[in-house]
Every structure is written in structure tokens, then in C-alpha cells.
Amino acid sequence: MNPIQFNVLAIILILGIMPFAVAFVSNAGSSTDEAMKDSITPGFNTNTGESKWLNNGGDNWSWYYDNKNFYGPNSYEVDCTYVENGYCYGLFDGVNEYPLSSAYYSNNFILPMNAHNVFQTHYSGSNGNNYVGSSGDDAYGWRFGSEFFGEITQNTTVDKLKFTFVETNAIYNCDNSIFSNLTFEGEIIFYYQGETLKFENFEFEESTKYKYNQYDNQNNHFSVVCVIGFDIVFDFTGFESLKIDSFNYGNWSGTVVDVLLTNFDDGDDINGIGQTVTPFGGDNQFFIGVEHSEINPKEAGFLIRAGTLFLTVITFIIAIASTPYWDPFTNYFRGRL
Amino acid sequence: MVAIIIYIATLLITVTVVAGASTAGYLNSALTRTVGGIGTQIVSMNWLYQYTNFESFIRYCLQGEVGIIGYAFLLSLGTLLVVWINNLIEYKQAIM
């Protein structure tokens, strides 16, 4: 081999083989094929008081709210014309919070996974069908208390967390143009004993068409329906899963999670998602399901460390072999190239 | 620190590519070598940052997330880069 060929080999090692090996080691502790499990315990779940809306699409203030003497039948909804960073803004700014629900009863009859029924936040005015203002095209966010993670085994960590948002009240023809293709970004923040751990820059591309088997109470059978909804999966690398474990020590009963979705773009609407039908925009209710896949942190840690040790040894061997004092490369390629 | 390691690795690649191209009769002028070098640096850095988790793996090793083995890996990677830099200077090829 001539010098150029040796140099090409070096470049292939750094740009090709090394990153591939690093990716392999990083994901050594991750489970890729394990089925998702329910995170929410079925049946009645005590409201810890932690769960609430963080953001509901940005400034929803419209002319209807300009008359501050307007008191609807549920004045707290007027108080809360929009939610920002966990607090309501409207008649009283930054005081009230908007809980996800008043009580939690989850089951897997409505959706394929255990899911909680949750309030939407846009007030319906006395004008009838439509809710007041617009959905807003800014961030949506929720804080999930530990009642959403009751089925995550203690002393384990998660490889994936999946959140499903579905509005089941209205069924549409699956070819209906009401469904949209959304792109957005997400971040997830874990809270434990006053500390925070944040993972960000997740990118999502989802259709708002959620197709699933819904139970028809009238006819007593399941049928495939299309409703407004989608799911998002926060997929953590082996390192991130271990970081979560060293953060909350596998204590999911004391862990709270924020999910924030931002930078929405509706590929089918140049005006943004202000008019896009989303499962969480509106004046009714929707369902949130949570699932996870868990991994044993000790196993994952061992696999990652063993993989890194192997990579270290190989790298040292290549470094020594790159010197004139030991030239296995020359001997190997002699006569072949 | 992570950025320095990535920068050195991609600089190594850039020097290797430009020197190799020059030896083969391409990039004969200072301008073409400069443009070729900058382009190679940008492409290889973007590749390692955007399309691989090489940078985050090095960061985890630096932060002690992988324990002492992570530091050993950084040492091995540093050794490899030093050897290749020395080889390029002395012998005009990365691997002997």
C-alpha cells in the first residue's frame, strides 16, 4: 500500500468505523425490541396535585376576552384564557394553575393502553359551537405527576417513554382532510427531590390521524376508527437511561415529568397550526396514555462499560500498529493491494 | 474539551486529504488547497456532530458517566491522534 492508501484507511477509521463502534456501544444497554408497557396503573389513581397544564398553545386572547366583565358559567375558564409556564393568564395573571383533571380513572377500554381523561383548556363562549379565540400555534406542555408512572418498576430505568394524545369524542372517515401532518420539537424534564434533568432537541413528525380499535358499546364489538390524535416517543440512549437512573435512583413514585412540545409546523397549512385540529386543543376533554420500556440499569451499565473497554483496547492496538515499530497493516496488505 | 478532540481529529483528516490530493497532482495552488481544506474540515465536523453520536459519547466519557474505562478510552483516542499527527509530520502518512 502506498501512503495515500494508508491515509485513506485512517480516514475510514475515524469517520466510519469509530462512529459506528461508538453508536453500537452507546446503544448496547438499550432495548430495541421490547414491547411497550403501560405506565399508568389501571383503576382509580390518586391525584397527587402535581399534574397540570404548562402551556396551551400560546396567547389565546381574543376580542371576546377584552370585556373583562364577562363571567361565564365557569368563571375559572375565563380567568384562564391561556396557560403559560404552568400558570393561568387572564383576569388573574400568574396565580391559578390548570390541573389536567379533577380525578383520574384509567382503563384500557378507551385506548389500547391505560389512559387518563384530561381537560382541554380553551373556553367555550356563549356563542355556541366554537371555543373562544384560537388554539394558538405556540408551545404545548404538561406536567405529569407520579400517578402517571405507577406501573414503572421501581429500581429500573426507562429506555423509552411514549405519550399518546387522543381525542375520542369524534370519529372521522379515515380519508377526511381534517387530519394533518405535523412536525414539532420536544423536550422532557425529570424532577426528583428538587433537582431537574432535561433532555431536549427531540424532533417529531406525526400525523394527527390516530387509527385504532375502538369498542362500540351499542353493537358490542370492536371496530377500526380514525380519530384526532398521535403519539410521541422519547427514545433515550443507553447513557441517557443510566443518567435517569442515577438521577432518580429508580424511584418513580417520587418523580415528576414535564413534556414540552414546540415549533409546530403543519405541512398542509401555511398559516401554522392555529386552525389545525389537535387532540389537546379545544374546550372538551381528551385522553393521555403513557407507556414505557424499561431496562435494568446494572445490565445496561455492564454492557456499555464492556463495550467501551473493548473499544479502548482496539484503539490502543491501532495506535501502536500505526507506528513504525509494529506494522501489522503493512504485513497484512503486502501483496494484496 | 470535546470540541477540541473533534477539531483535532477532523484537522488530521483535512491535512491527510489535502496532502494526499496534492501528492496525486490535484489542489496544486494555495487557493485550491485552502478551499479544499476548509470544505473537508466543515464536512467532516458536520458528519461527526450531526450524524453520529461520537461527540456525545466523548462528552459522556469526559463527564465520568462511563467510569474509569471512559477515561481510558479518551487516553487511547488521544494516543491514536498523537501517533497519526507525528506520522503525518515525519512520514507523510498516518499509518505506518
Side-chain angles (χ1 to χ4, degrees):
Chain A
M1 281 174 76
N2 60 41
I4 291 178
Q5 289 168 323
F6 274 117
N7 289 340
V8 168
L9 184 62
I11 291 170
I12 291 171
L13 269 167
I14 290 191
L15 286 186
I17 298 174
M18 182 76 79
F20 178 79
V22 160
F24 186 80
V25 168
S26 297
N27 289 298
S30 291
S31 62
T32 53
D33 298 326
E34 191 178 304
M36 304 290 280
K37 300 178 186 174
D38 278 309
S39 304
I40 302 176
T41 304
F44 181 75
N45 290 268
T46 304
N47 185 342
T48 61
E50 303 259 18
S51 305
K52 63 177 181 177
W53 278 84
L54 295 177
N55 297 280
N56 70 339
D59 191 347
N60 189 33
W61 192 269
S62 70
W63 66 267
Y64 211 83
Y65 293 116
D66 282 341
N67 180 3
K68 290 196 174 182
N69 290 322
F70 176 80
Y71 287 99
N74 299 303
S75 61
Y76 72 91
E77 290 172 336
V78 183
D79 293 345
C80 201
T81 60
Y82 63 93
V83 181
E84 196 170 83
N85 298 323
Y87 290 97
C88 286
Y89 288 82
L91 287 179
F92 303 103
D93 293 344
V95 174
N96 297 319
E97 297 177 343
Y98 206 121
L100 292 189
S101 181
S102 57
Y104 296 117
Y105 191 94
S106 74
N107 55 62
N108 58 4
F109 303 144
I110 306 291
L111 292 181
M113 75 294 293
N114 292 337
H116 278 318
N117 186 249
V118 164
F119 297 133
Q120 290 172 339
T121 55
H122 298 125
Y123 177 61
S124 59
S126 61
N127 58 345
N129 299 323
N130 297 320
Y131 52 80
V132 181
S134 63
S135 300
D137 55 5
D138 210 333
Y140 278 91
W142 308 268
R143 173 161 294 169
F144 299 103
S146 56
E147 64 268 30
F148 282 84
F149 309 107
E151 289 294 289
I152 299 181
T153 309
Q154 293 288 87
N155 301 318
T156 65
T157 185
V158 291
D159 173 50
K160 297 185 184 74
L161 268 176
K162 179 179 176 183
F163 295 86
T164 303
F165 308 93
V166 182
E167 185 181 12
T168 59
N169 296 325
I171 298 171
Y172 302 94
N173 185 303
C174 292
D175 296 325
N176 197 309
S177 59
I178 198 170
F179 301 114
S180 302
N181 293 309
L182 299 179
T183 59
F184 50 95
E185 293 174 9
E187 60 185 56
I188 184 167
I189 306 171
F190 295 87
Y191 295 90
Y192 182 74
Q193 294 187 344
E195 302 288 324
T196 61
L197 175 64
K198 183 177 181 178
F199 299 100
E200 52 192 345
N201 299 322
F202 288 89
E203 294 183 356
F204 299 106
E205 194 174 319
E206 306 292 340
S207 165
T208 58
K209 178 164 66 178
Y210 188 81
K211 197 172 181 179
Y212 73 112
N213 268 323
Q214 189 183 72
Y215 188 69
D216 184 339
N217 282 314
Q218 287 184 338
N219 298 311
N220 295 324
H221 68 80
F222 283 90
S223 57
V224 176
V225 298
C226 289
V227 297
I228 297 291
F230 58 83
D231 53 54
I232 57 174
V233 179
F234 291 94
D235 191 351
F236 304 106
T237 64
F239 290 110
E240 289 168 339
S241 298
L242 290 179
K243 204 163 185 176
I244 294 170
D245 181 64
S246 63
F247 174 74
N248 72 351
Y249 307 102
N251 181 9
W252 292 96
S253 61
T255 302
V256 171
V257 175
D258 283 1
V259 170
L260 195 65
L261 306 180
T262 60
N263 293 329
F264 282 92
D265 186 65
D266 181 347
D268 302 316
D269 187 345
I270 59 171
N271 297 313
I273 70 159
Q275 301 302 320
T276 303
V277 181
T278 57
F280 32 72
D283 56 8
N284 209 311
Q285 295 171 354
F286 70 109
F287 281 88
I288 296 180
V290 185
E291 296 166 276
H292 68 282
S293 66
E294 57 194 39
I295 55 174
N296 185 313
K298 290 187 173 54
E299 259 179 44
F302 171 76
L303 287 171
I304 287 173
R305 285 180 172 77
T308 305
L309 179 62
F310 181 75
L311 201 58
T312 301
V313 169
I314 296 295
T315 306
F316 265 126
I317 289 174
I318 293 173
I320 298 169
S322 300
T323 65
Y325 308 110
W326 183 41
D327 53 356
F329 292 106
T330 307
N331 292 336
Y332 180 79
F333 287 112
R334 182 172 292 146
R336 285 185 169 85
L337 292 171
Chain B
M1 185 65 187
V2 176
I4 291 173
I5 295 172
I6 302 275
Y7 184 78
I8 290 173
T10 53
L11 186 62
L12 201 66
I13 292 166
T14 302
V15 169
T16 305
V17 168
V18 171
S22 184
T23 304
Y26 303 100
L27 305 180
N28 288 323
S29 71
L31 176 65
T32 54
R33 282 198 293 274
T34 302
V35 171
I38 292 172
T40 305
Q41 180 88 25
I42 290 172
V43 167
S44 51
M45 278 191 78
N46 269 335
W47 165 253
L48 288 177
Y49 267 110
Q50 305 285 346
Y51 294 96
T52 71
N53 63 341
F54 194 57
E55 176 259 342
S56 55
F57 180 76
I58 292 177
R59 191 160 15 90
Y60 284 126
C61 290
L62 270 172
Q63 290 171 351
E65 304 280 351
V66 196
I68 198 166
I69 294 172
Y71 294 120
F73 170 74
L74 291 174
L75 182 64
S76 69
L77 184 63
T79 304
L80 183 65
L81 293 177
V82 167
V83 167
W84 282 358
I85 289 170
N86 181 66
N87 285 351
L88 276 176
I89 294 170
E90 293 276 343
Y91 309 106
K92 301 287 186 278
Q93 64 185 64
I95 299 178
M96 295 306 298

